[in-house]
Amino acid sequence: MKQIHYTKGIAGQARNDSPLRMAFIAAFGLLSAAPFFTACTDLEPEIYGDVQIDDYYKTSAQFATLIANAYSQLAGEYGYVYREGYWSLQEYTSDEVVVPTRGTDWYDAGVPIKMHTHTWETNTRDINNGWSFAYGGTTKCNDVLQKIASIKGEDPTQYDAITKAGIAETKVLRAFYHLLAMDVYGNVTIDDGRPIQQYSRAEVANWIEQEILDNMDALDNTVRYGSMTKPVAHTILAKLYLNSKIYTGTERWADAVAQCDAVINGGYGYALNSDYFATFKKDNTGNMEIIFPIIFDAVYAKGNMFHLMTLHYVHQQVYDFTTETWNGPCTLESFYDKYSDSDNRKAQWFVGAIKDKNGNTLKYSNDALVDADAIIVKTVSTLQDPTASNTFEGARFVKFEIESGIEHHANSDFPIYRYADILLMKAEALMRQNGGVATAEAVALVNLLRPRTGLADYTTATLTLDELLNERGRELAWEGHRRQDLIRFGKFTAAWEFKEVTSPNRSIFPIPQWVLDANPGVYTQNDWQ
């Protein structure tokens, strides 16, 4: 008899496991030699030497063990939400994240300050890491495709439907990684086996679109949590079309609407949670507001470290963390003030006294402070304070459920795409088609989010494009969309706290110097200054 392993997070919370999470565990060698399964009674590991590999990969679940490595690029400490990589490119450079230096903590050779002030260079750490992340993902996808060919043969006409679906899933995931690279670096290479060559941003965007369309019919037309299925592919296309004017110079608002409709009307069962914070629980696996997540696990799929990054040092005592908190990224006062006090979502930011379990305000001391009351304030007065007197400055990000007793990594899955974004994207596309003025349908879409906020509905008069941008910020804070949104709304180069008006060329990042050096004569550097 065989049994499927049921995993637990480090805090002992049973997880609602997806096939892909199980595949991660198998891929990391934490199960027995055969993926997913172990003997019920035998204490010694079973040997499956008589199982032919081409006989095994015949179901979607079995293929998940093969494809898991390509998805694993999203998790890990150097993955999508890495504080020194892709996520920081999208968030540190925006008006919703700031990383003050407190004493020497978080100075990091000045990188967070450079990202916030848009003064980065071709060898800035996070820019280097972002490229490695995106193209590390394409490389892993290519490895999967090569393994499929070695298992199933080189003749695609002989592939069964399951094999074709596995190939399609991998190719759409590869297109997604290309979208991430093209979005931040502009003119990049297409890593699908061809010789290294630089393509224009429009050429890459067109290739991404065609790659997804060519593989759409072979994808599973289901909700398979954490996997590239049809609704996820439609969401990627919606995002691509929404930003088409930026990527290609051509507006495609109607196409964005059509892709959103494919998700909304596709019968997939996606829905808004009545409680905004339900999406971000520690056991949020399978949450039907999440369209495509990064699957995290405190033990088996590490990388969610928001709790360590943002919380003050004394928060360690509050939550009994087994590792120190880092007192780092927070938000700007201007962004925090975009939330009215009656907006339930404002609770995703912590401001106020840090109290122990008995309700007493904790004390904190450093070289500049002695037994100071630990009270977080919303105002960030400076980007750099050598005395660390700014230790309590900046509202802290607490949208994801904070688990007591955990170590470095949290269990909450991170939603790259969720249903609320689909509704907001469609509303925006409708408004753009209408000259930037809200239609009744656009208002109705955005108002679907309002009951859980505790706020009054919008009207066609109150839902302006500027207000829609603010609403996207309040709804999607720290989810990796803000830089892209600010660019699309023409706000990315504007001034905000500690940042002056910057050149429009700063809307893309330079190609890392190490990439240029490794490929002489291949790349022309972006006009990024």
Side-chain angles (χ1 to χ4, degrees), residues 3 22 24 30-31 126 167 211 250 259 304 314 347 355 382 462 488 492 504 516 519 528:
Q3 67 180 9
M22 297 300 293
F24 280 147
L30 295 170
L31 299 184
D126 298 12
I167 291 171
E211 188 81 346
T250 301
Q259 294 301 320
N304 184 343
V314 300
K355 298 182 179 182
T382 179
T462 58
R488 194 171 62 255
F492 185 67
L516 300 179
N519 301 278
W528 58 275

Side-chain angles (χ1 to χ4, degrees), residues 115-273:
M115 302 309 291
H116 185 81
T117 57
H118 292 197
T119 55
W120 53 75
E121 301 159 337
T122 59
N123 62 349
T124 298
R125 177 198 65 195
D126 298 12
I127 292 172
N128 292 335
N129 291 340
W131 183 284
S132 297
F133 159 72
Y135 282 106
T138 66
T139 297
K140 287 183 176 180
C141 290
N142 289 333
D143 288 345
V144 169
L145 293 171
Q146 290 171 6
K147 288 176 182 175
I148 292 175
S150 68
I151 293 167
K152 295 295 185 178
E154 299 287 346
D155 184 2
T157 64
Q158 300 301 308
Y159 294 163
D160 56 30
I162 293 295
T163 301
K164 291 177 180 177
I167 291 171
E169 180 179 347
T170 307
K171 286 186 174 181
V172 172
L173 179 59
R174 184 177 65 181
F176 170 73
Y177 283 123
H178 278 87
L179 175 61
L180 301 183
M182 179 271 292
D183 178 70
V184 295
Y185 299 106
N187 305 327
V188 296
T189 190
I190 297 174
D191 183 23
D192 63 351
R194 68 184 73 187
I196 296 176
Q197 176 183 336
Q198 186 178 31
Y199 294 88
S200 71
R201 202 180 204 186
E203 288 174 322
V204 179
N206 292 335
W207 177 85
I208 293 167
E209 176 190 20
Q210 197 59 52
E211 188 81 346
I212 295 173
L213 293 175
D214 287 347
N215 289 282
M216 182 74 78
D217 288 344
L219 294 173
D220 287 351
N221 192 30
T222 60
V223 175
R224 184 153 49 86
Y225 187 81
S227 301
M228 288 287 169
T229 58
K230 277 190 178 180
V232 179
H234 286 304
T235 304
I236 296 171
L237 286 176
K239 190 68 72 171
L240 180 69
Y241 295 147
L242 193 74
N243 293 284
S244 180
K245 180 66 181 295
I246 304 299
Y247 297 153
T248 71
T250 301
E251 295 177 350
R252 299 188 65 175
W253 309 120
D255 290 330
V257 169
Q259 294 301 320
C260 290
D261 280 341
V263 177
I264 294 169
N265 302 321
Y268 300 112
Y270 294 118
L272 297 174
N273 293 305

Side-chain angles (χ1 to χ4, degrees), residues 231-375:
V232 179
H234 286 304
T235 304
I236 296 171
L237 286 176
K239 190 68 72 171
L240 180 69
Y241 295 147
L242 193 74
N243 293 284
S244 180
K245 180 66 181 295
I246 304 299
Y247 297 153
T248 71
T250 301
E251 295 177 350
R252 299 188 65 175
W253 309 120
D255 290 330
V257 169
Q259 294 301 320
C260 290
D261 280 341
V263 177
I264 294 169
N265 302 321
Y268 300 112
Y270 294 118
L272 297 174
N273 293 305
S274 58
D275 176 4
Y276 175 77
F277 293 96
T279 309
F280 310 101
K281 294 289 188 181
K282 63 185 178 183
D283 53 354
N284 60 349
T285 297
N287 190 294
M288 286 309 294
E289 186 166 333
I290 300 175
I291 294 175
F292 181 62
I294 304 171
I295 293 179
F296 282 119
D297 187 277
V299 177
Y300 304 120
K302 300 177 179 180
N304 184 343
M305 294 181 286
F306 285 126
H307 62 296
L308 294 186
M309 290 164 54
T310 189
L311 292 179
H312 191 271
Y313 310 114
V314 300
H315 273 111
Q316 182 183 3
Q317 302 174 48
V318 177
Y319 296 105
D320 297 322
F321 294 144
T322 60
T323 190
E324 293 180 356
T325 43
W326 301 340
N327 197 31
C330 54
T331 198
L332 293 168
E333 182 175 5
S334 61
F335 189 83
Y336 179 77
D337 285 344
K338 292 182 188 298
Y339 297 80
S340 71
D341 289 341
S342 54
D343 189 338
N344 294 328
R345 297 169 300 184
K346 197 169 189 175
Q348 67 189 289
W349 304 104
F350 179 85
V351 169
I354 305 174
K355 298 182 179 182
D356 64 19
K357 295 177 177 61
N358 296 318
N360 301 311
T361 299
L362 291 168
K363 302 289 185 178
Y364 175 74
S365 300
N366 61 22
D367 289 344
L369 305 171
V370 178
D371 288 336
D373 285 342
I375 301 174

